[in-house]
Amino acid sequence: MSPSATAEMPSSTTVKPTKANIGVYTDPAHKLWVAEAQPSLESVEKGDSLKEGEVTIGVKSTGICGSDVHFWHAGCIGPMIVKDTHILGHESAGVVLAVHPSVEHLKVGDRVAVEPNIICNACEPCLTGRYNGCEKVQFLSTPPVNGLLRRYVNHPAVWCHKIGNMSFEDGALLEPLSVSLAAMERSGVHLGDPVLICGAGPIGLITLLCCRAAGAEPIVITDIDEGRLAFAKQIVPSVTTFKVERKSAEESAKDIVSAFGGIEPTVALECTGVESSVAAAIWAVKFGGKVFVIGVGRNEMNVPFMRLSTREVDLQFQYRYCNTWPRAIRLVKSGIIDMKKLVTHRFSLQDAVKAFETAADPKTGAIKVQIQSED
C-alpha cells in the first residue's frame, strides 16, 4: 500500500484501508461475538481520530492469552471485572497505517509489536522505571480498557516497537516473552542453576526456552497434562518432565527433587498460580532458594509458612513487565529464542469465536492460538 494524504487532515501520513473495523467482544453475561469496533473505517481513512503521539495500527496477529479466556468465562480476574461490553486481546503485532504529525520515529508501513499499556508518567513506579506498577495504567484488554483484538487500533507510538522483517506471529509472541523475561530478571536465574518450572502452558514453555538460553541446568518442568509435557520435551529435548499426580505438596516436592537426581532447585518459576503447585514449589527448593510466582491465582491462598520461614525461602511475585520489548526483539531476531512451534492454531478475525473455543478446550491440544487478519 502506498501512503496518501487526505484533505481533512493534510498533515497526517495515512494509508487507506478497505474493510470495516471489527473486534472481538465479551460482556458480563459471558457472551462472545464479533462486531463493529472503533476507530471506524471512515475515521481510519481520514486519520482524524488520532491524538497527539498516536499511530493507527492494522493489527495482523493477536495471541489468545489465558486471561482473555478467563475474562470471557469468569468475567473477572481479581478486582478487574467485566462490567460492560468489552474487547479482548493484548498480544498483538501489525503494520502502521497512519501517523499523527507529532510522531517522528514511526512511518506508514513500519511493522510493529504493540506493548499494550498506557501509563501516567507521573507516579512513583513510572518515575522510577517500574511502570508496570503505574497507579493509573490503562492496560489494553483489562476492563474497562478495550483490547487489541480489532482490525485497526489507535495507540501511542512510544509503545509500538519496530520489529523489522520479523513475522507478525513472532511479533505477537513478544508479549508473553516479555512476561518470561521479566521473571528471568527478577528471579535471578544464573548459569548452572537447577531450575524448576511449574506449568507447561505458553508462559511455562516460553520460560523454559529462556531458562535453557540462560544456561540453567538441570531444568525440570511440571504439568498435569502429558501432552504439554511432551511438547516441552519437543522444544527443549534436555528438559526433564514431571507429571503432577494427586499427592500432598510435600510428597510431590520429594518426587520433584528425585526428578532432579536428588538436587534441590535453586529457583522455582511458578507459572500456574495454583495453590497446590505453589506449595509444592516451596517444599522443593533448597535452603535459601526462591519461589518466583508468575502465574495468576485466587484472591487468597494457603502456603506452608513455616517451610518458608525455617528454610529462608524467598517467595516473590510478578505483575506484568516493564522495559522488556527491546530485549525480546533482539532475542527473537538473533534466533536465541525461537517460539515458532508454540503457535499451534490459527484463525481469521471473523472466526474469533471458534478460536476462543479452541483455546479454552484442553482436548484440542492447543498451545498458543493466534487470530490473524491479513486484509
Side-chain angles (χ1 to χ4, degrees):
M1 291 185 290
S2 58
S4 63
T6 66
E8 290 83 358
M9 198 171 182
S11 57
S12 290
T13 306
T14 61
V15 168
K16 186 175 181 178
T18 59
K19 294 192 176 182
N21 196 6
I22 54 175
V24 183
Y25 291 82
T26 189
D27 66 8
H30 312 295
K31 297 176 184 176
L32 188 72
W33 72 98
V34 177
E36 283 190 25
Q38 295 297 318
S40 67
L41 172 60
E42 181 182 7
S43 179
V44 173
E45 288 176 326
K46 294 179 179 179
D48 60 5
S49 64
L50 286 173
K51 300 175 184 176
E52 184 174 353
E54 287 188 338
V55 295
T56 300
I57 305 299
V59 180
K60 297 300 183 182
S61 289
T62 302
I64 297 177
C65 177
S67 65
D68 294 315
V69 174
H70 206 75
F71 280 131
W72 166 35
H73 281 172
C76 67
I77 296 176
M80 299 166 280
I81 303 170
V82 177
K83 296 180 179 179
D84 203 342
T85 55
H86 181 65
I87 298 176
L88 297 164
H90 59 268
E91 303 177 4
S92 296
V95 62
V96 176
L97 298 179
V99 179
H100 189 276
S102 60
V103 176
E104 297 181 352
H105 72 286
L106 291 178
K107 64 182 185 301
V108 169
D110 281 344
R111 299 161 70 92
V112 295
V114 182
E115 186 169 353
N117 47 221
I118 303 171
I119 63 173
C120 74
N121 283 305
C123 65
E124 182 179 352
C126 285
L127 294 175
T128 55
R130 298 183 66 181
Y131 58 80
N132 54 315
C134 175
E135 297 164 6
K136 297 180 181 178
V137 67
Q138 298 177 61
F139 193 89
L140 277 67
S141 83
T142 296
V145 184
N146 281 323
L148 292 167
L149 265 171
R150 291 177 258 180
R151 186 169 278 136
Y152 318 117
V153 65
N154 295 340
H155 197 61
V158 69
W159 301 117
C160 297
H161 302 274
K162 291 182 184 180
I163 59 173
N165 61 0
M166 183 188 299
S167 71
F168 292 124
E169 279 195 4
D170 276 348
L173 287 167
L174 294 173
E175 199 279 342
L177 175 56
S178 285
V179 173
S180 295
L181 290 181
M184 295 296 290
E185 181 175 359
R186 293 188 58 234
S187 65
V189 172
H190 295 128
L191 195 70
D193 277 349
V195 173
L196 170 65
I197 300 171
C198 301
I203 295 298
L205 292 169
I206 294 174
T207 301
L208 171 61
L209 292 172
C210 290
C211 285
R212 171 51 63 228
E217 178 63 29
I219 307 171
V220 173
I221 189 167
T222 72
D223 205 279
I224 60 173
D225 188 309
E226 290 182 350
R228 291 203 162 185
L229 292 174
F231 193 91
K233 195 77 173 175
Q234 181 182 339
I235 62 171
V236 178
S238 61
V239 72
T240 298
T241 59
F242 179 87
K243 187 174 185 296
V244 177
E245 306 289 352
R246 290 187 176 276
K247 293 183 177 181
S248 70
E250 187 173 359
E251 289 175 321
S252 290
K254 290 178 181 177
D255 292 342
I256 289 168
V257 171
S258 294
F260 272 99
I263 301 170
E264 293 177 328
T266 299
V267 178
L269 296 166
E270 210 299 312
C271 302
T272 73
V274 175
E275 181 178 307
S276 58
S277 181
V278 174
I282 292 169
W283 280 101
V285 295
K286 72 175 187 178
F287 183 92
K290 177 180 287 188
V291 175
F292 190 91
V293 182
I294 306 169
V296 176
R298 300 183 314 193
N299 285 347
E300 297 182 8
M301 66 170 64
N302 295 313
V303 296
F305 175 83
M306 285 309 299
R307 179 68 172 183
L308 288 165
S309 176
T310 59
R311 297 268 289 184
E312 291 192 357
V313 172
D314 292 337
L315 180 60
Q316 196 171 353
F317 298 87
Q318 174 173 334
Y319 187 59
R320 297 174 181 155
Y321 39 71
C322 62
N323 307 306
T324 52
W325 250 259
R327 277 192 297 145
I329 291 169
R330 290 193 295 269
L331 287 166
V332 173
K333 278 190 171 183
S334 67
I336 293 172
I337 298 293
D338 184 355
M339 302 179 287
K340 291 181 177 61
K341 291 181 180 179
L342 297 181
V343 181
T344 54
H345 295 72
R346 300 164 180 86
F347 294 86
S348 69
L349 185 56
Q350 293 90 332
D351 290 331
V353 172
K354 188 175 180 181
F356 268 80
E357 290 170 348
T358 301
D361 184 358
K363 296 177 182 177
T364 64
I367 299 296
K368 177 58 70 175
V369 177
Q370 284 199 359
I371 294 174
Q372 302 177 340
S373 179
E374 293 303 326
D375 45 35

